[in-house]
Amino acid sequence: MQKLKGTAIIIFLTLFNSCEQLQDNREVPKQNIMKSNELVRDELSEQKHYFDTAFTIDKNSIRLLIKDISEEEITLAFYRNNKVLKLDTLQSLGIAYFEFVDYNQDNFDDFLIAYIGNIPTHFIYLFDPLTNEFRFVEGLTNFPEAKQLKANNNYYYSYYKAGCADMNWVSDLFYIDNFEKVHIGHIYGQGCDYEVKGNPQTIELFKVLDNDESKKILVEKLPYLKHIPNFDDKWIFIEKYWNKNYSKYD
């Protein structure tokens, strides 16, 4: 937990330096970013997960506060002008870090909570400039390391390991509609070179129907080594494939 505490401090300092660079109508005077005194010193020393920052948007004071409420849970509170807009209770086990990131590239910082595990999990709260609040994106937790397509930035693709020392992997194609993910494409890459006669190396590409991965149909099947001859070539393949073929899956 000492490492996690150090990570939270580094992220806070990074946020302190970066908030002055927010674009558009987001003006954050340096003196408006401060560490909260809400918790007394003894309580703060017992906190394993603690994150607190405040900034100004359109003359509204916005504050985010994370703190432990038990050994297993944290609370995440969003304030606007000292009033609580949202109060979520989340599991604390496996939290890797908190950070602000412009997830949807709209020039407003969003808030991300990352959990470690066999499949990394990301909780994303997008900032809604129409209401000046952060809104949780439903269904996005299992789509880590997502990147926007260059061909159409309304679409994203994710990646995670699926075994055999990362030689098997998964990538999903999705977009966000009204703060909910819509899953439309799925790639399963089986690059494992163990017992290839029984488990041939292939790339299977599926269209996901009705935003339900259990309802997917095979679009095409490609020979693995022809398209990914070397381990690191998979990143190039995934990016190029989704950018070229995303419209097939919508």
Side-chain angles (χ1 to χ4, degrees):
M1 288 299 179
Q2 187 65 31
K3 183 178 180 181
L4 179 59
K5 189 181 293 182
T7 302
I9 293 172
I10 292 171
I11 292 168
F12 179 83
L13 293 175
T14 301
L15 175 64
F16 186 96
N17 292 327
S18 64
C19 282
E20 294 179 304
Q21 302 173 10
L22 298 179
Q23 301 178 27
D24 293 345
N25 61 343
R26 181 177 294 190
E27 297 180 1
V28 187
K30 185 176 181 180
Q31 63 271 25
N32 281 356
I33 301 174
M34 61 193 72
K35 193 169 183 177
S36 172
N37 293 320
E38 178 180 291
L39 301 183
V40 299
R41 184 179 299 276
D42 290 342
E43 291 177 311
L44 187 58
S45 66
E46 296 177 358
Q47 293 286 315
K48 297 178 181 178
H49 307 91
Y50 183 73
F51 184 90
D52 189 9
T53 190
F55 47 89
T56 302
I57 303 172
D58 280 347
K59 298 181 180 180
N60 289 289
S61 174
I62 308 295
R63 181 187 178 200
L64 278 71
L65 173 64
I66 292 175
K67 60 182 180 179
D68 293 311
I69 56 172
S70 71
E71 289 291 328
E72 296 83 22
E73 293 180 322
I74 62 170
T75 56
L76 169 60
F78 295 94
Y79 297 82
R80 186 177 65 213
N81 299 328
N82 297 319
K83 293 183 179 180
V84 178
L85 293 181
K86 178 185 289 289
L87 181 64
D88 287 348
T89 300
L90 305 172
Q91 290 187 345
S92 61
L93 182 64
I95 289 179
Y97 57 88
F98 319 112
E99 70 172 350
F100 283 92
V101 58
D102 189 357
Y103 189 86
N104 56 354
Q105 299 297 306
D106 64 349
N107 294 323
F108 289 98
D109 277 353
D110 311 301
F111 191 66
L112 179 150
I113 303 176
Y115 289 79
I116 57 176
N118 291 333
I119 298 177
T121 301
H122 289 172
F123 283 72
I124 304 292
Y125 290 82
L126 292 182
F127 183 77
D128 184 355
L130 296 178
T131 59
N132 282 327
E133 62 182 307
F134 289 87
R135 298 180 61 180
F136 180 67
V137 181
E138 296 288 345
L140 201 57
T141 53
N142 292 324
F143 294 159
E145 309 300 334
K147 298 180 180 179
Q148 283 183 308
L149 295 187
K150 295 177 181 177
N152 188 328
N153 60 18
N154 290 321
Y155 296 83
Y156 304 77
Y157 66 94
S158 66
Y159 176 90
Y160 64 84
K161 303 174 185 178
C164 195
D166 199 17
M167 295 182 72
N168 293 343
W169 47 269
V170 169
S171 180
D172 291 293
L173 181 69
F174 65 95
Y175 61 90
I176 298 172
D177 181 40
N178 194 28
F179 298 92
E180 293 187 11
K181 67 86 186 167
V182 181
H183 189 188
I184 59 174
H186 178 86
I187 301 178
Y188 176 66
Q190 183 163 303
C192 190
D193 56 5
Y194 179 71
E195 295 184 348
V196 294
K197 288 186 178 180
N199 299 285
Q201 296 168 289
T202 61
I203 305 171
E204 297 178 329
L205 304 110
F206 299 88
K207 181 173 183 177
V208 178
L209 306 177
D210 301 326
N211 198 21
D212 184 349
E213 189 175 332
S214 67
K215 300 178 181 179
K216 59 179 184 288
I217 57 175
L218 185 66
V219 174
E220 56 184 325
K221 197 170 184 178
L222 304 174
Y224 195 96
L225 293 179
K226 179 179 178 180
H227 295 274
I228 306 177
N230 301 301
F231 180 84
D232 288 339
D233 293 337
K234 62 183 175 180
W235 313 113
I236 299 173
F237 169 80
I238 293 169
E239 180 182 7
K240 286 186 175 180
Y241 184 86
W242 284 136
N243 273 281
K244 183 179 179 180
N245 298 287
Y246 72 91
S247 59
K248 293 181 181 179
Y249 296 84
D250 200 355

